[in-house]
């Protein structure tokens, strides 16, 4: 068991916790509805009375998450900010620190950037569901430097200084977190490496009652689904590969800041669907012959959602996909993050070689109900100041 008993164990007044804890939920950026927002939506559903505070977010995204009536955006959700908030990264920790939340028994943060820096007026302990330590400061600094600061030596120097500053701030913030939760052993390893903290792997929630097989034969297209953010998602690799596969069709479902750039690069056999509502996303997954997942994600909900629909996945063999995609059972890995390696893997991949029932059975371990129960148990223990039953809340 983990025993991280806080100084104010037992809740805000130090008494034994006898009712559901008062929880404050925090999130980073809700400019579009993606994987992190799906997880935060489940956290909000697990604690239906909890207010949700984001550094910046659209009211429309909050409505889609079902939290519009309890949602606060610290920064005003103006279109200019929503498009360009990434340039504010050096200042955002200070913005978060100056926004004290109301008293609570526990802060439950859903963080890949700054959400774990929020504090309450009564310094409540925090349970942080960490999607990833801040990527541009830790795990993807060189990628972001090449993409965002390649213009001159001066811009590279400035970027490195910014990343170093954010690493220091991020590390200090991480030491104030009471208990870390995460979705995969891959991210747990990053949390230990970068923060010196141990994390419990509780998985990620997938609504396996919504993502289901269609029961009909798939159509003749490959699918990429998700937020279009480069260089992180590496959709460009697929565009280059499909340029050499004119007889194959690729459908890309999703939106994001890189969409216009990707459309300009795309060969004629690639179709962009843009943003899709939930039912249309499920239909696209059900009907594809296979889904391509070219990024190194810390977890990646898409491979599990596709698996719940009974369809195989061809994924880059790193990060969370090492745990969510099982070669020979639910799909395959390609092992170099290049267009050539993806092209070779596509030519060798037989989507009909996988059993849809076996693929779905693998996905069920991430179903939303057991995920919710694990998170609720951790939050209740932290609020009460009792030890966490590690075996009961860790995904096997």
């Amino acid at each position: 068991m983990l025993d991280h008993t806080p100084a104010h164990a037992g809740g805000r007044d130090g008494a034994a916790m006898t009712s559901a804890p008062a929880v404050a939920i925090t999130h980073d950026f809700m400019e579009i509805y993606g994987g992190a927002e799906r997880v935060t939506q489940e956290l909000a559903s697990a604690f239906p009375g909890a207010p949700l505070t984001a550094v910046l977010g659209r009211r429309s995204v909050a409505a889609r998450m079902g939290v519009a009536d309890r949602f606060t955006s610290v920064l005003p959700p103006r279109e200019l900010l929503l498009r360009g908030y990434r340039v504010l990264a050096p200042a955002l920790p200070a913005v978060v620190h100056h926004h004290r939340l109301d008293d609570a028994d526990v802060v439950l943060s859903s963080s890949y950037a700054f959400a774990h820096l929020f504090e309450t007026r009564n310094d409540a302990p925090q349970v942080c569901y960490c999607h990833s330590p801040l990527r541009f400061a830790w795990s993807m600094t060189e990628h972001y430097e090449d993409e965002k600061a390649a213009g001159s030596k001066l811009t590279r120097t400035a970027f490195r200084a910014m990343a170093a500053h954010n690493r220091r701030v991020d590390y200090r913030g991480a030491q104030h977190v009471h208990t870390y939760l995460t979705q995969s052993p891959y991210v747990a390893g990053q949390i230990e490496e970068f923060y010196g903290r141990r994390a419990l792997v509780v998985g990620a929630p997938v609504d396996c009652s919504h993502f289901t097989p269609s029961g009909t034969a798939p159509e003749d297209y490959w699918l990429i689904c998700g937020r279009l953010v480069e260089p992180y998602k590496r959709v460009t690799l697929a565009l280059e590969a499909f340029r050499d596969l004119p007889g194959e069709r690729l459908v890309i479902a999703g939106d994001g800041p890189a969409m216009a750039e990707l459309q300009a690069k795309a060969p004629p056999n690639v179709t962009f669907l843009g943003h899709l509502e939930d039912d249309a996303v499920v239909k696209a997954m059900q009907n594809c012959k296979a889904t391509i997942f070219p990024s190194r994600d810390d977890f990646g909900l898409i491979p599990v959602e596709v698996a719940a629909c009974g369809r195989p996945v061809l994924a880059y063999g790193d990060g969370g996909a090492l745990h969510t995609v099982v070669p020979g059972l639910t799909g395959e890995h390609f092992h170099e993050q290049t267009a050539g390696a993806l092209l070779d893997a596509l030519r060798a991949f037989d989507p009909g070689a996988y059993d849809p029932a076996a693929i779905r059975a693998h996905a069920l371990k991430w179903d939303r109900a057991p995920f919710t129960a694990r998170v609720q148990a951790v939050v209740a223990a932290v609020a009460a100041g009792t030890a966490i039953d590690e075996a009961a809340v860790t995904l096997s």
Side-chain angles (χ1 to χ4, degrees):
M1 292 185 178
L2 296 182
D3 188 358
H4 291 161
T5 305
H8 52 299
R12 287 171 289 175
D13 58 2
M17 191 69 62
T18 58
S19 60
V23 176
I25 300 173
T26 65
H27 185 76
D28 291 304
F29 308 105
M30 292 161 52
E31 83 277 17
I32 63 174
Y33 185 79
E37 288 69 39
R38 287 183 183 274
V39 173
T40 304
Q41 179 177 344
E42 293 297 333
L43 299 179
S45 178
F47 301 96
L52 194 159
T53 302
V55 181
L56 176 65
R58 298 181 191 271
R59 181 69 52 181
S60 59
V61 175
R64 183 172 180 184
M65 294 167 63
V67 297
D69 60 334
R70 49 186 169 127
F71 164 69
T72 298
S73 176
V74 175
L75 294 175
R78 296 172 184 151
E79 198 59 36
L80 184 61
L81 271 177
L82 287 160
R83 290 199 305 267
Y85 68 85
R86 291 170 181 83
V87 303
L88 300 177
L92 291 177
V95 171
V96 172
H97 279 305
H98 281 87
H99 185 89
R100 283 272 179 165
L101 305 175
D102 291 339
D103 288 3
D105 295 317
V106 178
V107 175
L108 177 58
S109 59
S110 173
S111 182
Y112 53 85
F114 309 110
H116 65 299
L117 302 179
F118 280 105
E119 298 177 3
T120 63
R121 293 190 179 95
N122 67 328
D123 294 321
Q126 179 181 172
V127 174
C128 177
Y129 184 96
C130 182
H131 304 271
S132 168
L134 188 61
R135 293 184 185 97
F136 81 82
W138 296 104
S139 60
M140 296 185 69
T141 305
E142 292 182 2
H143 286 290
Y144 277 92
E145 180 181 334
D146 289 341
E147 179 74 11
K148 306 297 183 183
S152 68
K153 184 177 180 179
L154 179 62
T155 56
R156 285 186 179 273
T157 300
F159 179 87
R160 290 170 188 166
M162 179 188 71
H165 167 74
N166 277 99
R167 275 195 297 275
R168 290 190 294 270
V169 172
D170 193 47
Y171 179 85
R172 287 197 300 268
Q175 306 316 303
H176 293 286
V177 171
H178 181 289
T179 300
Y180 267 103
L181 308 178
T182 194
Q183 71 279 70
S184 71
Y186 175 75
V187 179
Q190 290 186 326
I191 292 168
E192 184 169 1
E193 178 184 357
F194 301 143
Y195 296 158
R197 301 294 307 277
R198 185 161 171 250
L200 295 173
V201 178
V202 296
V206 173
D207 186 352
C208 293
S209 66
H210 188 59
F211 291 91
T212 60
S214 67
T216 61
E219 298 177 19
D220 191 25
Y221 66 88
W222 303 80
L223 177 68
I224 286 180
C225 191
R227 192 180 310 203
L228 302 183
V229 182
E230 296 288 271
Y232 172 36
K233 291 299 183 181
R234 307 305 296 271
V235 176
T236 301
L237 300 183
L239 301 185
E240 294 172 0
F242 274 80
R243 196 178 304 279
D244 291 328
L245 294 170
E248 298 284 349
R249 181 183 171 212
L250 173 64
V251 170
I252 299 177
D255 200 353
M259 185 167 181
E261 175 188 351
L262 292 169
Q263 286 177 312
K265 294 178 178 178
N269 57 334
V270 176
T271 301
F272 289 82
L273 300 181
H275 168 76
L276 297 180
E277 297 300 325
D278 286 353
D279 288 346
V281 169
V282 173
K283 186 175 181 180
M285 291 178 175
Q286 290 172 332
N287 293 331
C288 72
K289 61 183 181 181
T291 290
I292 303 167
F293 196 72
S295 61
R296 183 189 67 188
D297 272 39
D298 310 297
F299 178 75
L301 283 171
I302 297 298
V304 181
E305 291 170 344
V306 171
C309 294
R311 302 309 306 149
V313 176
L314 176 59
Y316 174 53
D318 201 353
L322 292 174
H323 307 282
T324 58
V325 178
V326 180
L329 179 69
T330 71
E332 302 296 338
H333 297 136
F334 63 99
H335 297 286
E336 292 181 13
Q337 209 170 26
T338 64
L342 175 56
L343 178 62
D344 290 343
L346 285 164
R347 286 172 169 160
F349 194 85
D350 177 9
Y354 305 89
D355 178 12
I359 296 173
R360 177 168 170 81
H362 170 72
L364 289 174
K365 68 190 291 185
W366 288 282
D367 199 11
R368 60 185 296 202
F371 168 84
T372 295
R374 289 190 288 268
V375 174
Q376 288 173 329
V378 171
V379 169
V382 171
T386 58
I388 298 168
D389 187 346
E390 181 178 353
V393 302
T394 301
L395 183 67
S396 59

